[in-house]
């Protein structure tokens, strides 16, 4: 039984295969989420947190692959509130060909995987966001070339999106350059873990140093879902980490700007960078 909870659940060859499959016409991929008689298999899409891109892309993808998506809000299943995570996993495995969940605690999606008899996909947890990283890698390769030749700067919080992106960049032999305030950065063990995956890893508390010469610059909100109570302190600590035109001028000429969204113009990114000619955010 294979699950996709973290990017590191995939081998390098499997990541490359995903990237290759993503370039194909969906109609050419067959209907892997349909039974042999054509009946769609269910795909449970459970969201404890809001979603725009992940929900829509997943629903459309499930249909394109021959399945039937069932969108469910977290409170409807009530992980460990209405029922245990394990009971939910065992029941849902009977209805569906795949379970996917966006959760506050990574341990919930990990426990789903332990008890499910069908594959489980992490659609964002506090630890990681592997689907975002795969999509970002596709965009980077389309607009900047193979990851193995790129330096990707991450400016801001070393969060779920950063961790998955760093894993993907390292596995594909690129350079990840983290520019994060201390206490919101990758600790020494995490830097060593990333370095062991391949590629190269740099980190600096100076966003200017981290972005120097980068081919792609990526950032995210300073306040992730579930961290709302920390808003005031986070806004203060991260105020020097806004990706604006002056910071972007230190990256490589024509460096691409990326953001997983939702974005906050005037906080983690200035409006002119977000909406500027080198932004590939929407793509
Ligand atoms: N780091 C953000 C990503 C949103 C797609 C969050 O977890 O809220």
């Amino acid at each position: 039984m294979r699950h996709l909870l973290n990017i590191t659940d995939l081998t390098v060859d499997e990541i490359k295969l995903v990237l290759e499959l993503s370039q194909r016409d969906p109609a050419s991929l067959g209907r892997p989420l349909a039974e042999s008689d054509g009946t769609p298999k269910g795909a449970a899409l459970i969201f404890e947190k809001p979603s725009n891109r992940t929900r829509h892309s997943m629903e459309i993808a499930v249909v394109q692959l021959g399945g039937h998506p069932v969108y469910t809000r977290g409170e409807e299943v009530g992980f460990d509130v209405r029922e245990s995570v394990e009971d939910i996993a065992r029941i849902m495995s009977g209805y569906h060909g795949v379970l996917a969940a966006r959760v506050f605690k990574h341990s919930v999606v990990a426990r789903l995987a332990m008890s499910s008899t069908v594959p489980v996909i992490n659609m964002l947890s506090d630890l990681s966001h592997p689907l975002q990283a795969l999509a970002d890698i596709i965009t980077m390769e389309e607009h900047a070339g193979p990851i193995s030749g790129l330096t990707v700067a991450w400016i801001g919080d070393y969060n779920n999106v950063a961790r998955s992106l760093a894993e993907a960049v390292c596995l594909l032999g690129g350079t990840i350059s983290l520019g994060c305030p201390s206490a919101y950065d990758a600790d020494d063990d995490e830097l060593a873990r990333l370095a062991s995956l391949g590629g190269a890893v740099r980190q600096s508390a100076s966003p200017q140093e981290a972005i120097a010469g980068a081919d792609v610059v990526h950032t995210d909100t300073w306040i992730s879902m579930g961290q709302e109570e920390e808003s005031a302190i986070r806004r203060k600590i991260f105020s020097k980490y806004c990706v604006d035109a002056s910071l972007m001028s230190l990256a490589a000429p024509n460096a691409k700007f990326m953001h997983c969204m939702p974005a906050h113009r005037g906080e983690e990114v200035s409006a002119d960078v977000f909406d500027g000619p080198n932004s590939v955010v929407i793509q």
Side-chain angles (χ1 to χ4, degrees):
M1 174 67 58
R2 300 287 303 279
H3 304 289
L4 178 55
L5 306 188
N6 294 298
I7 283 290
T8 47
D9 291 332
L10 299 173
T11 65
V12 174
D13 284 347
E14 286 169 340
I15 293 175
K16 289 181 177 165
L17 179 61
V18 170
L19 301 182
E20 196 250 303
L21 290 171
S22 75
Q23 304 299 317
R24 296 201 204 156
D25 178 349
S28 73
L29 298 176
R31 291 166 58 84
L33 282 178
E35 306 282 4
S36 52
D37 68 357
T39 307
K41 291 185 191 173
L45 309 181
I46 309 166
F47 288 87
E48 285 195 305
K49 301 176 178 181
S51 175
N52 177 1
R53 283 150 292 279
T54 305
R55 178 189 174 176
H56 286 265
S57 59
M58 284 292 280
E59 285 207 28
I60 298 299
V62 167
V63 171
Q64 285 176 335
L65 297 179
H68 178 92
V70 180
Y71 169 79
T72 309
R73 290 172 60 93
E75 58 263 38
E76 290 174 290
V77 290
F79 290 125
D80 288 338
V81 176
R82 293 189 69 237
E83 303 179 74
S84 73
V85 171
E86 287 72 22
D87 284 353
I88 292 166
R90 286 183 294 171
I91 289 292
M92 285 210 172
S93 299
Y95 301 132
H96 297 287
V98 60
L99 310 184
R102 168 167 288 195
V103 297
F104 283 95
K105 288 189 290 189
H106 188 79
S107 59
V108 168
V109 77
R111 284 168 58 205
L112 275 178
M114 294 283 285
S115 294
S116 173
T117 57
V118 299
V120 173
I121 297 175
N122 175 8
M123 298 193 293
L124 182 145
S125 68
D126 54 345
L127 185 76
S128 57
H129 196 2
L131 302 181
Q132 178 75 45
L134 291 170
D136 285 343
I137 292 291
I138 293 165
T139 304
M140 287 179 193
E141 295 214 322
E142 279 175 355
H143 293 275
I147 297 295
S148 57
L150 298 182
T151 294
V152 178
W154 175 271
I155 305 297
D157 192 9
Y158 186 68
N159 62 12
N160 44 7
V161 175
R163 188 174 290 101
S164 293
L165 181 66
E167 288 176 354
V169 169
C170 288
L171 281 166
L172 293 173
T175 298
I176 186 83
S177 180
L178 304 170
C180 317
S182 58
Y184 297 87
D185 57 359
D187 65 18
D188 289 347
D189 286 350
E190 176 66 358
L191 292 173
R193 185 185 72 85
L194 291 174
S196 75
L197 300 176
V201 187
R202 305 198 309 242
Q203 180 164 260
S204 170
S206 157
Q208 289 78 16
E209 198 173 303
I211 207 171
D215 304 293
V216 179
V217 178
H218 205 309
T219 191
D220 185 10
T221 181
W222 297 336
I223 303 146
S224 285
M225 292 179 274
Q227 297 173 336
E228 290 76 10
E229 285 180 4
E230 301 169 31
S231 296
I233 181 77
R234 283 176 166 270
R235 282 205 176 88
K236 201 168 153 202
I237 288 169
F238 285 99
S239 61
K240 296 191 184 71
Y241 292 79
C242 175
V243 180
D244 57 16
S246 148
L247 194 60
M248 280 299 286
S249 72
L250 304 175
N254 284 318
K256 302 299 177 205
F257 174 75
M258 297 185 67
H259 191 307
C260 67
M261 299 174 84
H264 310 84
R265 292 171 178 80
E267 292 194 11
E268 72 273 7
V269 59
S270 61
D272 57 341
V273 169
F274 187 89
D275 298 308
N278 288 331
S279 170
V280 291
V281 166
I282 302 303
Q283 293 90 318

